[in-house]
Amino acid sequence: MRIQLYALPILLLFTGLEAGLLSAQGPTPLVTAPHLEKRGMATQLVVDGKPFLMLAGELSNSASSNLENMKPVWPKLAAMGLNTVLTPVSWELIEPKEGSFDFALVDGLLDQARHEHMHIVFLWLASWKNGMSSYPPVWVKSDTRRFPRVVLNGSEVEVLSPASPATQEADGRAFAALLKHLKEVDSRDHTVLAIQVENEVGVLGAARDHSDTANKAFASPVPQELTQYLKAHRDTLDPELRTLWDANGNKTTGTWAEVFGETNRADEIFMAWRYAGFVHGVAAHGKAAYNIPMYVNTWLGEGNSQPGDYPSGGPQPRVVDVWKAAGSVLDIYSPDLYASDFIGWSSRYHRNGNPLFIPETNSGTAGAANVFYAVGEQNAICFSPFAIERSRDEKGDLSISYDTIAKIAPIILDRQTAGLTHGFVLDKNHPSYDFTMGEYIAHVSLDEIFGHRSQDGYGLIVETGPTEFLGAGRGFRVSFSPVSPTAPKVGIGAVDEGVFEDGKWVPGLRLNGDENDQGRGWRFGSRQAGIEKVTVYRYE
Ligand code: DGJ
């Protein structure tokens, strides 16, 4: 663990493994806490020794603040096919009085989740939520001397300063108490898989804090830890950050404006460094108590929006490297992905070993489609539409997608380690994609039969053997050709629909008529997502 902080008074050591537990029944075997593991070409979440795919949803902000309110929610979400729920837990509710903690709500949520065989990712709503500071307890909010605030346009606003060691210490202490408690009550069950630290941090309304301390720091030299990081990682920096640093002459000394230019991009990098230092520090307190995966989420700055239109300093792709330079405690940088360019944003976060974890996104038909792309193409470890408890259509498209993917998740997780999965979303603007898979090119396109063309389609395909593929989804068809133009042609041997029972493929109908367009294509009809296997053969 590496961390750069202005003044982090403690830095406790922790091990990657949770120690063996003692129970009333005697010692239980050594158990490993949920953790991330690089397995071949994918970074996966490993729970109880196996890779785990979070088919999840995030609760709206206040749903989990009351256990009675949550009672009917868990069974509803289980019926929708979720295996994980992203569940807020706020600083104000667990430490209403400084130093006295109340975990009754946390324990109640764990009980309710376990009853429905669900997992939880807790969202630590503390110093900031959507750039504001509404979730700290009143004893924090009211003590502006001890817990200083950000200054915008000449006056203090109700936003805690990320440069305050006292605030970091108080937030970190509460976070550590929560993690210590989770270790006590959950290190055997592993109901809690990960934790989000703060929510959509960054300053809104201006590109940076203009308090006296911030102005002074902004006019001081950029810390060497940052410029040395940029130098050492120049080849893998986010292209936007690299272009900016290149354009300003790759300086390794100078003030923020000298190194990054006289624009609001320098302000944003400055704020990113401050928030990153704070959040890595809070996470370090938590990890010292219980080492489970920790991530931060991002309110994305779309189109021409400027830092301050969105929270400036949050881990936008262009400043993720700045966050990484400030510390290595946080495991994942995540997009709250409501934007229309789902592919572009996913790709910008799924790079340099950062796995794609989508804590917030759209539900409904868009979510039902995007989950196939995220899992099949970007090895996403979590897909989680927001305000999931408000879904009206319990057996809707999202639920069908989750159900379909869950049935083949072990195979997807196994094959993605070798880069043998692809996912896609098709529509009139993107009617086809080609994927090279082993010796074959798989041509995926909108389904079409007897003059009728699907308007949209989505799915994923997995190479399961030298002549065999598994597919899932709806509204698309696949044909194959050889990678080498001189190799024999590729025909469709047989298509079977089927199910997996106890990990074994049990074929159902043999689909060799209209269903595979009389041998012309491996088809997935447009009505409902299905699972099919195809075998291919060669001919001259
Ligand atoms: C993103 C935030 O992270 C959520 O808490 C919530 O405020 C949603 N936006 C609302 O769309």
Side-chain angles (χ1 to χ4, degrees):
M1 178 176 61
R2 185 172 43 75
I3 185 165
Q4 300 296 338
L5 287 174
Y6 348 97
L8 181 66
I10 63 143
L11 191 53
L12 301 170
L13 290 175
F14 58 88
T15 62
L17 294 184
E18 295 310 317
L21 299 172
L22 285 177
S23 72
Q25 290 77 40
T28 55
L30 198 73
V31 283
T32 308
H35 61 282
L36 296 179
E37 221 174 276
K38 175 105 174 80
R39 306 172 103 222
M41 293 169 76
T43 299
Q44 299 183 321
L45 173 70
V46 175
V47 183
D48 298 327
K50 291 198 203 113
F52 189 90
L53 172 60
M54 290 183 263
L55 297 168
E58 178 168 322
L59 297 171
S60 57
N61 303 155
S62 308
S64 60
S65 63
N66 180 295
L67 289 174
E68 277 305 305
N69 183 61
M70 283 301 293
K71 268 190 190 159
V73 171
W74 295 102
K76 172 179 164 170
L77 299 184
M80 282 175 66
L82 275 74
N83 58 25
T84 306
V85 181
L86 277 62
T87 308
V89 53
S90 68
W91 187 4
E92 55 159 355
L93 288 181
I94 70 155
E95 195 186 8
K97 195 165 150 260
E98 184 166 11
S100 66
F101 293 96
D102 180 351
F103 295 114
L105 180 62
V106 170
D107 291 343
L109 292 167
L110 288 173
D111 279 351
Q112 290 179 336
R114 285 175 187 154
H115 193 257
E116 294 297 331
H117 309 290
M118 292 280 229
H119 288 281
I120 284 181
V121 169
F122 277 124
L123 314 178
W124 176 236
L125 304 184
S127 292
W128 302 283
K129 195 259 171 203
N130 297 32
M132 302 301 290
S133 297
S134 54
Y135 279 106
V138 170
W139 58 266
V140 173
K141 290 194 215 184
S142 55
D143 193 346
T144 55
R145 256 172 197 276
R146 183 173 161 204
F147 304 112
R149 295 174 169 192
V150 159
V151 173
L152 300 179
N153 303 318
S155 42
E156 272 186 15
V157 288
E158 283 185 82
V159 174
L160 293 170
S161 162
S164 159
T167 311
Q168 187 189 45
E169 176 67 19
D171 187 334
R173 214 178 327 113
F175 189 58
L178 171 64
L179 270 290
K180 178 171 175 287
H181 183 74
L182 291 180
K183 183 173 181 180
E184 280 161 14
V185 298
D186 194 47
S187 52
R188 186 196 318 226
D189 290 324
H190 300 152
T191 301
V192 181
L193 301 181
I195 192 150
Q196 178 183 300
V197 194
E198 314 291 343
N199 188 87
E200 293 189 347
V201 304
V203 64
L204 276 172
R208 74 170 174 87
D209 179 8
H210 285 273
S211 62
D212 290 344
T213 46
N215 288 342
K216 202 166 150 226
F218 190 71
S220 305
V222 174
Q224 282 295 297
E225 291 87 348
L226 176 53
T227 50
Q228 288 311 314
Y229 182 97
L230 297 182
K231 203 170 151 196
H233 296 84
R234 185 169 175 275
D235 292 345
T236 55
L237 292 179
D238 176 85
E240 223 180 307
L241 180 64
R242 181 174 158 169
T243 305
L244 181 81
W245 189 46
D246 285 355
N248 285 288
N250 301 117
K251 293 195 193 81
T252 52
T253 53
T255 66
W256 295 83
E258 283 164 0
V259 175
F260 298 110
E262 302 269 353
T263 73
N264 59 10
R265 295 295 170 206
D267 295 333
E268 182 177 27
I269 293 169
F270 171 74
M271 289 314 292
W273 181 255
R274 285 163 100 75
Y275 279 103
F278 186 110
V279 183
H280 277 296
V282 170
H285 279 270
K287 285 228 172 190
Y290 185 33
N291 184 13
I292 55 174
M294 296 189 184
Y295 72 96
V296 275
N297 64 330
T298 318
W299 169 338
L300 299 176
E302 284 195 80
N304 290 328
S305 60
Q306 298 298 312
D309 297 340
Y310 55 84
S312 177
Q316 301 292 323
R318 71 171 80 88
V319 296
V320 162
D321 292 297
V322 178
W323 277 71
K324 287 187 172 173
S328 58
V329 187
L330 292 161
D331 300 289
I332 308 171
Y333 298 91
S334 293
D336 287 346
L337 221 176
Y338 301 97
S340 54
D341 184 10
F342 193 89
I343 293 182
W345 288 107
S346 301
S347 314
R348 284 191 79 181
Y349 278 91
H350 180 212
R351 69 189 293 276
N352 286 349
N354 189 53
L356 184 62
F357 183 125
I358 304 177
E360 293 183 40
T361 188
N362 296 311
S363 188
T365 317
N370 288 335
V371 64
F372 278 94
Y373 171 81
V375 171
E377 193 63 13
Q378 302 283 358
N379 301 342
I381 63 172
C382 177
F383 186 89
S384 169
F386 182 69
I388 194 72
E389 84 283 6
R390 294 191 195 142
S391 289
R392 283 208 206 94
D393 193 3
E394 285 180 34
K395 277 290 160 203
D397 288 341
L398 180 75
S399 161
I400 294 167
S401 291
Y402 275 15
D403 207 42
T404 308
I405 292 174
K407 286 183 178 136
I408 56 171
I411 296 169
I412 297 171
L413 290 166
D414 177 61
R415 304 310 277 172
Q416 70 180 201
T417 63
L420 298 176
T421 70
H422 283 291
F424 41 84
V425 175
L426 307 169
D427 57 28
K428 64 176 183 337
N429 299 320
H430 311 92
S432 64
Y433 289 99
D434 285 352
F435 301 110
T436 301
M437 301 183 86
E439 309 277 296
Y440 310 93
I441 300 172
H443 307 278
V444 178
S445 57
L446 281 169
D447 186 35
E448 193 168 1
I449 186 144
F450 303 139
H452 172 76
R453 193 176 205 217
S454 293
Q455 295 302 301
D456 50 37
Y458 47 81
L460 57 82
I461 50 178
V462 183
E463 190 182 333
T464 45
T467 59
E468 187 191 88
F469 298 83
L470 178 69
R474 53 165 282 265
F476 69 94
R477 59 191 287 153
V478 188
S479 63
F480 296 91
S481 62
V483 169
S484 155
T486 55
K489 299 190 192 68
V490 188
I492 288 185
V495 175
D496 290 309
E497 64 176 13
V499 291
F500 280 92
E501 279 172 11
D502 297 329
K504 276 219 166 89
W505 173 250
V506 182
L509 299 180
R510 169 60 55 99
L511 307 174
N512 218 357
D514 294 339
E515 298 87 353
N516 76 3
D517 198 4
Q518 347 306 325
R520 291 187 195 91
W522 177 26
R523 290 188 54 234
F524 289 76
S526 56
R527 222 172 317 136
Q528 184 164 320
I531 300 173
E532 294 175 16
K533 234 181 197 190
V534 66
T535 50
V536 295
Y537 72 99
R538 301 283 196 156
Y539 65 99
E540 293 292 344

